[in-house]
Amino acid sequence: MKKNDYIENIFAWEEEFDFYYPVKVRFSETDMFGHLNNTIPFIYFEEARIEYFKSIGLMKDWVSPEKETIIVVADLQCDFAKQVFFDEKLNIYVKANSIGNSSVDIHYMAKRENGGICFTGRGTIVQISKETGKGFPWTDEMKQSFQKKINVSV
Amino acid sequence: MKKNDYIENIFAWEEEFDFYYPVKVRFSETDMFGHLNNTIPFIYFEEARIEYFKSIGLMKDWVSPEKETIIVVADLQCDFAKQVFFDEKLNIYVKANSIGNSSVDIHYMAKRENGGICFTGRGTIVQISKETGKGFPWTDEMKQSFQKKINVSV
Amino acid sequence: MKKNDYIENIFAWEEEFDFYYPVKVRFSETDMFGHLNNTIPFIYFEEARIEYFKSIGLMKDWVSPEKETIIVVADLQCDFAKQVFFDEKLNIYVKANSIGNSSVDIHYMAKRENGGICFTGRGTIVQISKETGKGFPWTDEMKQSFQKKINVSV
Amino acid sequence: MKKNDYIENIFAWEEEFDFYYPVKVRFSETDMFGHLNNTIPFIYFEEARIEYFKSIGLMKDWVSPEKETIIVVADLQCDFAKQVFFDEKLNIYVKANSIGNSSVDIHYMAKRENGGICFTGRGTIVQISKETGKGFPWTDEMKQSFQKKINVSV
């Protein structure tokens, strides 16, 4: 079995998050076991990630048909700490943990309003060319946008 | 960034799969980037995992209101190798990679009909008590059911 | 072909809505045609309907395992007036249009922030007994809760 | 309240279906009430409708970026006759009920393997120009494709 090895020190890791986006568990997102279905956190991750990208001035280009790049998910994972239930309000925290040439490692943390962590996650996002499907390097400006939110003490 | 470190040797790993379940990409599972949305493989994983459980005689108890246990996902991850598109047929391979006391590490591989791997994944499933929410040990019989499909050479 | 015959006079009909719940179109809710997939408005309807029920003091009983009733959808329809796109903010208006013995006819209207109607809908909700699966009459108190929001001029 | 007025004579109506597409209820498609969530039949309708279009030689053009048209849903409705549960196999029957200039009225019927009807539905599909967003007339060939499956006695 594997552990969430992307978290070295949970206290330090938690502190590095600035941005969050609130979600509320929809009825249609529960399953017959009476709780949030395990596939839904990835929907929350995508929603919060996009809001994070918007908050740092990105995203616009990727949804514009005229532009030459989109972003894709290269890998994605979620660690479930607690069962989540209908109508719960969660804040989905997002941060850029490290930046590659054309990729960025995004970390996620879902917290109840009372502060309890329900699930965490991470995943690599890659900017690719629509034409070639290959990685398309970030501009320096983009890197700086991510940097603003990155814990520089590491 | 992380790599899919649950695959030591891709050739050996691939060989260990017996069971698979076919899916076809629904139109509603695509997104505005024109491909399969990144949240959908987890739906396929769940569907194929349940069919795998059924194939080895499990699952029935967990969906029975009278029984005392359910299974939950403790963690889940997916590595995307290739973009997948509307109407593609994929076989979702499933195997039990290793067994704990009340948990099992399930591996996944999605293959096109022509044999190309589109995405892989893994995740821990835990049997819990409905009452306590805590891990509920497998019976020996259950362990044997998983074993049938497990690579014993490891 | 059919028309949305549940709207006699669009101006009068529009005026009768009090309650609304805001949603924002998720990326995962778009499809490869670049717009909101046609199955998603029903998710918005459910979410807004439940918030409406909560606003008039209902819903609590139906999600309580100890209670004897749940609500089910008997029929549901949506009329699409305009294409909707990623990241759009919509207000989903909800009203109880008429009340039966154990059922209620709920109407829906999705509006852009600028006031444009994107889609409308309606559907019958029935309170049923968990045990028999049959209609379970509203109490007078429940009827009054719905009434508050109902256009009494009809 | 409204009745499913698109069915005049249920026996005659049922007989007019030729095409069907099988689906199986996914675990993730259930909700905490223990049954199929009310939003899912519309996903089945879309999947079966597209398979129907493919069966009569259509669909290819609409998913081709070079072509000038797509199809959109103008309205959609579902009448729920019976609760549906996890793992049930349903056949989703599809027929073109009547053809307009650039639209077609599609009818749906979901049947259990034992023959019981679980839900029915209908909805208008319109072919539109990607550029103008306006209705784009069927060719005669397209009309004939639909006709093959249409109840000619009407």
Side-chain angles (χ1 to χ4, degrees):
Chain A
M1 314 281 157
K2 239 180 27 83
K3 274 286 150 209
N4 37 1
D5 51 18
Y6 51 91
I7 304 175
E8 253 181 71
N9 176 322
I10 181 72
F11 303 107
W13 185 79
E14 239 188 284
E15 292 257 319
E16 290 159 21
F17 287 99
D18 278 316
F19 180 89
Y20 70 86
Y21 190 74
V23 299
K24 189 154 73 162
V25 176
R26 290 173 171 169
F27 193 86
S28 58
E29 294 170 345
T30 62
D31 64 31
M32 64 182 283
F33 281 171
H35 56 206
L36 185 74
N37 185 260
N38 67 82
T39 65
I40 307 298
F42 302 101
I43 294 178
Y44 297 166
F45 286 174
E46 182 178 66
E47 184 173 32
R49 172 174 70 238
I50 286 172
E51 293 297 329
Y52 163 71
F53 286 151
K54 283 163 61 182
S55 80
I56 57 172
L58 303 173
M59 195 67 206
K60 220 186 222 170
D61 283 2
W62 300 320
V63 292
S64 163
E66 295 85 36
K67 301 285 176 156
E68 58 188 324
T69 57
I70 55 170
I71 45 168
V72 294
V73 172
D75 71 272
L76 199 53
Q77 65 188 104
C78 181
D79 293 273
F80 300 79
K82 293 198 186 93
Q83 290 190 69
V84 174
F85 298 95
F86 165 64
D87 217 24
E88 284 206 64
K89 287 179 191 172
L90 304 177
N91 288 328
I92 311 293
Y93 289 79
V94 183
K95 64 174 169 179
N97 194 65
S98 59
I99 311 171
N101 194 37
S102 60
S103 66
V104 60
D105 184 34
I106 305 285
H107 284 203
Y108 307 93
M109 173 178 65
K111 268 194 168 177
R112 289 203 168 104
E113 290 194 314
N114 67 10
I117 296 180
C118 299
F119 50 86
T120 61
R122 61 154 295 288
T124 311
I125 296 293
V126 183
Q127 181 177 247
I128 65 169
S129 156
K130 284 181 197 172
E131 212 182 301
T132 68
K134 303 237 163 111
F136 193 98
W138 307 118
T139 61
D140 286 340
E141 203 191 339
M142 282 170 150
K143 286 194 182 181
Q144 277 156 27
S145 301
F146 287 127
Q147 222 99 31
K148 280 180 230 156
K149 304 282 177 176
I150 289 187
N151 175 27
V152 289
S153 70
V154 174
Chain B
M1 316 277 158
K2 238 180 30 88
K3 271 287 149 209
N4 38 2
D5 51 19
Y6 51 91
I7 304 176
E8 253 181 71
N9 177 323
I10 181 75
F11 302 108
W13 183 79
E14 238 188 285
E15 292 257 318
E16 290 159 21
F17 286 99
D18 278 317
F19 180 88
Y20 70 87
Y21 190 74
V23 299
K24 190 153 71 162
V25 176
R26 290 173 171 168
F27 193 86
S28 57
E29 295 169 346
T30 62
D31 63 32
M32 63 182 282
F33 282 171
H35 56 204
L36 185 73
N37 184 260
N38 67 83
T39 65
I40 307 297
F42 302 101
I43 295 178
Y44 297 166
F45 286 173
E46 181 178 67
E47 183 172 35
R49 172 174 71 237
I50 286 172
E51 293 298 327
Y52 163 71
F53 286 151
K54 285 163 59 183
S55 80
I56 57 172
L58 302 173
M59 196 66 206
K60 221 186 221 168
D61 283 4
W62 300 318
V63 292
S64 163
E66 296 85 33
K67 300 285 177 158
E68 60 188 320
T69 57
I70 56 170
I71 44 167
V72 293
V73 173
D75 70 271
L76 198 53
Q77 65 187 105
C78 181
D79 293 273
F80 300 80
K82 292 197 187 94
Q83 290 190 70
V84 174
F85 298 96
F86 166 63
D87 218 25
E88 285 208 65
K89 288 178 191 173
L90 304 178
N91 289 329
I92 312 293
Y93 288 79
V94 183
K95 64 174 169 178
N97 193 65
S98 60
I99 310 171
N101 193 39
S102 60
S103 68
V104 59
D105 184 36
I106 304 285
H107 284 201
Y108 307 93
M109 173 178 65
K111 267 194 168 177
R112 289 202 168 103
E113 290 194 314
N114 67 9
I117 295 180
C118 299
F119 49 87
T120 62
R122 61 154 295 287
T124 310
I125 296 292
V126 182
Q127 182 178 248
I128 65 169
S129 156
K130 284 181 198 171
E131 213 182 300
T132 68
K134 302 236 163 113
F136 193 97
W138 307 118
T139 61
D140 286 343
E141 203 191 340
M142 280 169 151
K143 285 194 181 182
Q144 276 157 31
S145 301
F146 287 127
Q147 221 98 33
K148 279 180 229 158
K149 305 281 179 177
I150 288 186
N151 174 29
V152 289
S153 70
V154 175
Chain C
M1 315 279 156
K2 239 182 27 90
K3 274 287 150 210
N4 38 2
D5 51 19
Y6 51 92
I7 304 175
E8 253 182 73
N9 177 323
I10 182 73
F11 302 108
W13 184 81
E14 239 188 286
E15 293 257 318
E16 289 159 21
F17 286 99
D18 277 316
F19 180 89
Y20 69 87
Y21 190 74
V23 299
K24 188 153 74 161
V25 176
R26 290 173 172 169
F27 193 86
S28 58
E29 295 169 345
T30 62
D31 64 31
M32 64 182 283
F33 282 171
H35 57 205
L36 186 74
N37 185 259
N38 67 83
T39 65
I40 307 297
F42 302 101
I43 294 178
Y44 297 165
F45 286 173
E46 183 179 65
E47 184 172 33
R49 171 174 72 237
I50 286 172
E51 293 297 329
Y52 164 71
F53 286 152
K54 284 164 59 183
S55 80
I56 57 172
L58 303 174
M59 195 66 207
K60 222 185 221 171
D61 283 3
W62 300 319
V63 292
S64 163
E66 295 85 35
K67 301 284 177 159
E68 59 188 322
T69 57
I70 55 170
I71 45 167
V72 293
V73 173
D75 70 271
L76 200 53
Q77 65 188 103
C78 181
D79 293 272
F80 300 79
K82 291 196 188 95
Q83 290 191 70
V84 174
F85 298 96
F86 165 64
D87 218 26
E88 285 206 65
K89 289 179 191 171
L90 303 178
N91 289 329
I92 312 293
Y93 288 79
V94 183
K95 64 174 170 180
N97 194 64
S98 59
I99 310 171
N101 193 38
S102 59
S103 67
V104 59
D105 184 36
I106 305 284
H107 283 202
Y108 308 93
M109 172 176 66
K111 266 194 169 177
R112 290 203 169 103
E113 290 195 313
N114 67 10
I117 295 180
C118 298
F119 49 86
T120 62
R122 60 153 298 286
T124 311
I125 296 292
V126 183
Q127 181 177 246
I128 65 169
S129 155
K130 284 182 196 171
E131 212 182 302
T132 68
K134 302 236 164 111
F136 192 98
W138 307 118
T139 61
D140 286 342
E141 203 192 339
M142 282 169 150
K143 285 195 183 182
Q144 277 157 28
S145 301
F146 287 127
Q147 222 98 32
K148 280 179 230 158
K149 305 283 177 175
I150 289 187
N151 174 28
V152 289
S153 70
V154 175
Chain D
M1 315 277 158
K2 240 184 26 99
K3 273 286 150 210
N4 38 2
D5 51 19
Y6 51 90
I7 304 175
E8 252 181 72
N9 177 323
I10 182 74
F11 303 108
W13 184 78
E14 238 187 287
E15 293 256 319
E16 289 159 20
F17 287 99
D18 278 316
F19 180 89
Y20 70 87
Y21 189 74
V23 298
K24 190 153 71 162
V25 176
R26 290 173 172 169
F27 192 86
S28 57
E29 294 169 347
T30 62
D31 63 32
M32 64 182 283
F33 281 171
H35 56 206
L36 185 74
N37 185 260
N38 67 82
T39 64
I40 308 298
F42 302 101
I43 295 179
Y44 297 166
F45 286 173
E46 182 178 66
E47 183 172 34
R49 171 174 72 237
I50 286 172
E51 293 298 328
Y52 163 71
F53 286 151
K54 284 164 59 183
S55 80
I56 58 172
L58 302 174
M59 196 67 205
K60 221 187 222 168
D61 284 3
W62 300 318
V63 292
S64 164
E66 295 85 34
K67 300 286 177 158
E68 59 189 321
T69 57
I70 55 169
I71 45 168
V72 293
V73 173
D75 70 273
L76 198 53
Q77 65 188 104
C78 180
D79 293 273
F80 300 79
K82 293 197 187 95
Q83 290 190 68
V84 174
F85 298 96
F86 166 63
D87 218 25
E88 285 208 64
K89 288 179 191 173
L90 304 177
N91 288 328
I92 311 294
Y93 288 78
V94 183
K95 64 175 169 179
N97 192 65
S98 59
I99 311 171
N101 194 38
S102 60
S103 67
V104 58
D105 184 36
I106 305 287
H107 284 203
Y108 308 93
M109 173 177 66
K111 267 193 167 178
R112 290 203 168 101
E113 289 193 315
N114 67 10
I117 295 180
C118 298
F119 49 86
T120 62
R122 60 155 295 289
T124 311
I125 296 292
V126 182
Q127 181 178 248
I128 64 169
S129 156
K130 283 181 197 172
E131 213 183 298
T132 67
K134 302 236 163 112
F136 192 97
W138 307 117
T139 61
D140 286 342
E141 204 191 338
M142 281 170 150
K143 286 193 181 181
Q144 277 156 30
S145 302
F146 287 127
Q147 220 99 33
K148 279 179 228 158
K149 307 279 179 176
I150 289 187
N151 174 28
V152 289
S153 70
V154 174

